[in-house]
Amino acid sequence: MSKPPATQARRERPLSPHLSVYRPPITMTMSIIHRITGGALYFGTLLVAVWLMAAASSQPAFDWVNWAFGTWIGRLILFGYSWALMHHMLGGVRHLIWDTGAGLEKHTASKIAWATLAGSVLLTLLIWVAGTIARGAL
């Protein structure tokens, strides 16, 4: 192979966009979050299984699990689990809509992605407010 002449100026090659420069589109962000919530649901469902096993085993075990889920950290985990469940469900609906061939235009896909995020937050808050009202604590 021949070497370029030393007198010729070296042309700078374009750099790939770095995360500090590139802003990921909302559809990409929601897709990533959909995958993360799928993994989180796996571990959250294990907590539901622990609660069911405690309910089936003995009253002290059930009381202990209810106490643990009633602490502030337990409630925070349950709140996150319910948000992950709602977000993953709405993300699945979003993909179901795309599977029909609808909503694939860039602008429409972005609107659906924002609706997925807003809907998951709204549904989670509605679930927790309804649960609080049902317990008579509000």
Side-chain angles (χ1 to χ4, degrees):
M1 293 181 70
S2 64
K3 293 183 179 181
T7 57
Q8 188 179 27
R10 185 172 176 193
R11 190 175 82 154
E12 292 295 321
R13 300 183 74 176
L15 299 175
S16 297
H18 189 268
L19 290 176
S20 64
V21 177
Y22 177 73
R23 183 171 174 241
I26 187 67
T27 50
M28 180 177 114
T29 305
M30 290 299 104
S31 179
I32 292 168
I33 292 175
H34 182 75
R35 293 167 192 226
I36 292 170
T37 56
L41 289 177
Y42 175 79
F43 294 106
T45 303
L46 290 176
L47 294 177
V48 173
V50 165
W51 182 74
L52 290 171
M53 287 188 295
S57 63
S58 69
Q59 186 65 40
F62 184 69
D63 290 340
W64 186 87
V65 170
N66 275 342
W67 171 83
F69 287 166
T71 63
W72 70 271
I73 190 88
R75 288 189 183 246
L76 184 64
I77 290 169
L78 290 175
F79 186 82
Y81 176 71
S82 56
W83 175 79
L85 186 62
M86 292 300 104
H87 189 277
H88 199 75
M89 177 191 69
L90 291 177
V93 170
R94 179 172 60 112
H95 283 275
L96 184 63
I97 291 169
W98 286 348
D99 287 345
T100 67
L104 293 173
E105 301 81 21
K106 184 177 181 180
H107 186 68
T108 307
S110 294
K111 281 184 176 181
I112 294 172
W114 280 111
T116 299
L117 181 61
S120 66
V121 169
L122 181 66
L123 285 173
T124 302
L125 291 175
L126 285 173
I127 288 168
W128 278 78
V129 167
T132 304
I133 291 171
R135 280 194 334 267
L138 188 66

